[in-house]
Amino acid sequence: MLSLRKSLRRGSVWVDHSLSFRERDRMLIPPSEWDRDRERYRGLLGLPATADEFIEPVLANLQVGLAAVAEANAQGRIEVDGNGLLHLPAITALPDDGEPRRTRDLIYKAIGAIQFPDILLEVDAQTNFSDELLGHRATDATELLASYAALLVHGTDLDAKGVAAMIPGIETAHVSVAMRAIEGHGRLRRANERVVQLQGRFPLAAHWGSGARASADMMALDTSPHLWSARVDPRRRTYAAGVYTHVVDRWGIVYDQPIVLNERQAGAAIEGVEQVNLGADRVRLTLLAVDTCGYNNAALALAKLLGFDLCPRLRDLGERKLSLPSEVTVPESLERVAVRRLSRKAIRAGWDDLLRLAASIRSGRIGADVALRWLGSAARGDVVYEAADQLGRLLRSVFLCDYPTIDGFRREIHTLLSRGESVHQLQRAVYAGKVLAERGRRPDELRAIFGAHALLTDVVLAWNTSRTNEVVERLRRGGMAIEDDWLRRMGPAHFGHINFRGTFRFGMEKYAQAPIKPPVTVRGAASG
């Protein structure tokens, strides 16, 4: 059975009626089409025809990186001991005189306490994300409130009956109907895009990043053991389901997807970037920071072929070795950390198949998660696996040279991952309990739970960004000095001032019922 499982995962055995374990040639670009349109697909990826054309610039960067590591070792900034272990000092904290923290506290004191319903309504008035949830503009207040209630049921630990009791004028039946409506394909993601775009338009967001870099990590939500995707979380010893989120450097969640705990996350990491980069009006992601679970050698190679850098914060960094081809010159001080086993021949042999695989992902034929499953450890000996593994080892060596020697690069990776952890804390405040036993049993319902959870989190992030930007501008007009560097170190993932529970009263009169479709007036109709 284990052998059959490995064969299914590497694609040497398939099931004709399966959506995920079909024959490779049926899931990739057909061989005849690839032979005919190879040049067009290569142009789509922006990649050369031969492996050597791709490898030579990488080797040049690697040679420069090796010299930088040797220089840092000579200067004592890093150390390579007699056992070939790398010792890297911890990142030094930036100077902090307390002003950024005091300014942040002053800003949130000026913002004051807020009720969660007011946040939902205000952000909806600016983005009309409820239009995407319903598929049309709400016709009356009851339909609009029902959509908010459905969003709360999906995205928090509350149930339909409880939310209906919290919102005056709403019945449980209204909530149940709206819950099914927002489960429609793509509705939550399109609504989330509107909120993320709103947040990016505030001048304050420009201090946090350009929107071209992101981090990805998994958060576990407690569930019933009867959920098909539930697994035991090894840290907390409870059943949980995983949600994998991509948090852009401007703090918004740009992609979310359910995953199974205790499995490698590299495929989910690459799939999220590809889905984000599909949008024509978005800033393309060029760098993704992940932890060790979101990385493997094949993932590094596939990410580079798809046009972005996968940058892992590696566990046991000191024990990592530099995989190099025989022709690379290694400084004497680094001989103990170099392993000359990299095979350019293996990369050449599988280069065309690698391009076909990357082009199949780019054209939407398969997901990156399926592709990375084929390139897992069960596929050792496969030509494509060997090519991806060897190319990934080469790219990892370049990364291992840059990570300890470029302080700004290393700090940025840690900053991106720290922002993701801060967003996870906000997500846990939004979803404080666990997924109920009767929820999440259908795949579309599980996606709706995590999608609604991400949307509610992004609504808070966008509202905090809006209010912070407003208060900063007001304080500056009043003569208070607020440095841009302080703003870079403040984030919108604060939630201590938000009341997520209690009676939900939506003051729609404040916004002139902006999210509601105005009634149609029939001109010339006879009276009586």
Side-chain angles (χ1 to χ4, degrees), residues 380-402:
R380 286 190 176 97
D382 183 83
V383 174
V384 185
Y385 167 82
E386 294 298 335
D389 182 64
Q390 294 297 310
L391 181 57
R393 289 176 185 273
L394 177 60
L395 295 170
R396 187 187 67 178
S397 297
V398 176
F399 173 79
L400 289 175
C401 290
D402 293 341

Side-chain angles (χ1 to χ4, degrees), residues 34-48:
W34 177 248
D35 291 338
R36 184 183 69 244
D37 299 330
R38 180 184 285 106
E39 296 303 315
R40 181 173 66 84
Y41 282 117
R42 280 201 308 102
L44 183 66
L45 294 169
L47 294 172

Side-chain angles (χ1 to χ4, degrees), residues 92-414:
T92 57
L94 294 174
D96 185 5
D97 57 3
E99 282 300 327
R101 190 179 301 108
R102 287 191 289 270
T103 304
R104 180 202 62 193
D105 294 341
L106 175 64
I107 289 172
Y108 278 104
K109 183 178 180 180
I111 291 174
I114 184 71
Q115 302 293 322
F116 196 35
D118 292 334
I119 293 178
L120 281 173
L121 189 56
E122 183 174 337
V123 174
D124 191 19
Q126 297 180 66
T127 63
N128 290 117
F129 67 77
S130 59
D131 294 3
E132 297 289 359
L133 295 180
L134 295 170
H136 59 269
R137 180 66 60 90
T139 57
D140 54 33
T142 300
E143 187 177 26
L144 180 65
L145 294 179
S147 70
Y148 294 155
L151 187 61
L152 290 168
V153 175
H154 275 310
T156 70
D157 54 321
L158 301 170
D159 59 13
K161 185 177 180 180
V163 172
M166 295 167 66
I167 303 177
I170 296 297
E171 299 179 3
T172 305
H174 297 151
V175 180
S176 299
V177 171
M179 286 175 64
R180 282 302 182 97
I182 69 175
E183 288 179 12
H185 179 69
R187 289 189 176 185
L188 282 163
R189 197 168 307 286
R190 291 192 297 271
N192 195 54
E193 288 176 5
R194 290 196 181 193
V195 177
V196 172
Q197 289 173 2
L198 170 69
Q199 187 202 22
R201 289 198 294 266
F202 294 110
L204 178 63
H207 294 295
W208 298 326
S210 63
R213 303 188 174 192
S215 66
D217 196 10
M218 186 202 73
M219 187 185 76
L221 282 180
D222 291 343
T223 66
S224 163
H226 302 293
L227 195 66
W228 69 272
S229 61
R231 301 291 188 275
V232 176
D233 187 339
R235 295 181 180 178
R236 295 179 294 164
R237 304 294 181 185
T238 59
Y239 280 93
V243 52
Y244 200 73
T245 55
H246 287 63
V247 179
V248 77
D249 55 10
R250 292 186 172 183
W251 289 87
I253 299 176
V254 292
Y255 194 76
D256 64 273
Q257 54 190 311
I259 63 172
V260 178
L261 267 65
N262 308 325
E263 290 195 358
R264 300 291 295 194
Q265 302 159 11
I270 296 178
E271 176 67 16
V273 175
E274 273 298 289
Q275 292 298 322
V276 171
N277 288 345
L278 281 177
D281 56 345
R282 303 176 189 164
V283 177
R284 287 182 59 85
L285 295 180
T286 59
L287 183 147
L288 182 70
V290 296
D291 58 15
T292 304
C293 288
Y295 135 90
N296 59 36
N297 293 329
L300 283 178
L302 199 56
K304 195 68 174 179
L305 295 178
L306 291 170
F308 68 95
D309 293 316
L310 189 66
C311 300
R313 180 176 59 188
L314 295 173
R315 183 173 57 243
D316 302 326
L317 178 66
E319 300 177 9
R320 306 284 176 170
K321 302 296 182 182
L322 300 174
S323 297
L324 309 172
S326 57
E327 67 267 25
V328 172
T329 303
V330 181
E332 184 178 354
S333 59
L334 303 182
E335 284 287 353
R336 289 186 294 270
V337 296
V339 178
R340 297 178 178 274
R341 296 177 184 171
L342 192 74
S343 172
R344 294 183 64 167
K345 180 180 179 181
I347 301 175
R348 294 190 192 103
W351 179 251
D352 191 64
D353 289 323
L354 268 182
L355 294 184
R356 181 187 173 203
L357 181 61
S360 298
I361 296 173
R362 177 57 52 83
S363 60
R365 290 179 177 270
I366 63 167
D369 51 345
V370 176
L372 263 296
R373 188 181 66 223
W374 288 344
L375 300 179
S377 58
R380 286 190 176 97
D382 183 83
V383 174
V384 185
Y385 167 82
E386 294 298 335
D389 182 64
Q390 294 297 310
L391 181 57
R393 289 176 185 273
L394 177 60
L395 295 170
R396 187 187 67 178
S397 297
V398 176
F399 173 79
L400 289 175
C401 290
D402 293 341
Y403 185 81
T405 57
I406 305 176
D407 186 64
F409 175 61
R410 181 183 172 201
R411 188 183 299 277
E412 182 174 18
I413 292 174
H414 282 251

Side-chain angles (χ1 to χ4, degrees), residues 116 151-159 219-223 236 238-239 423-436 449-450 452-453 456-457 495 498-501:
F116 196 35
L151 187 61
L152 290 168
V153 175
H154 275 310
T156 70
D157 54 321
L158 301 170
D159 59 13
M219 187 185 76
L221 282 180
D222 291 343
T223 66
R236 295 179 294 164
T238 59
Y239 280 93
V423 171
H424 285 340
Q425 293 182 17
L426 172 58
Q427 287 181 282
R428 293 198 180 280
V430 173
Y431 210 125
K434 75 174 188 177
V435 179
L436 301 178
I449 290 172
F450 292 147
H453 187 204
L456 291 174
T457 304
F495 55 86
I498 302 173
N499 179 22
F500 290 102
R501 296 293 184 267

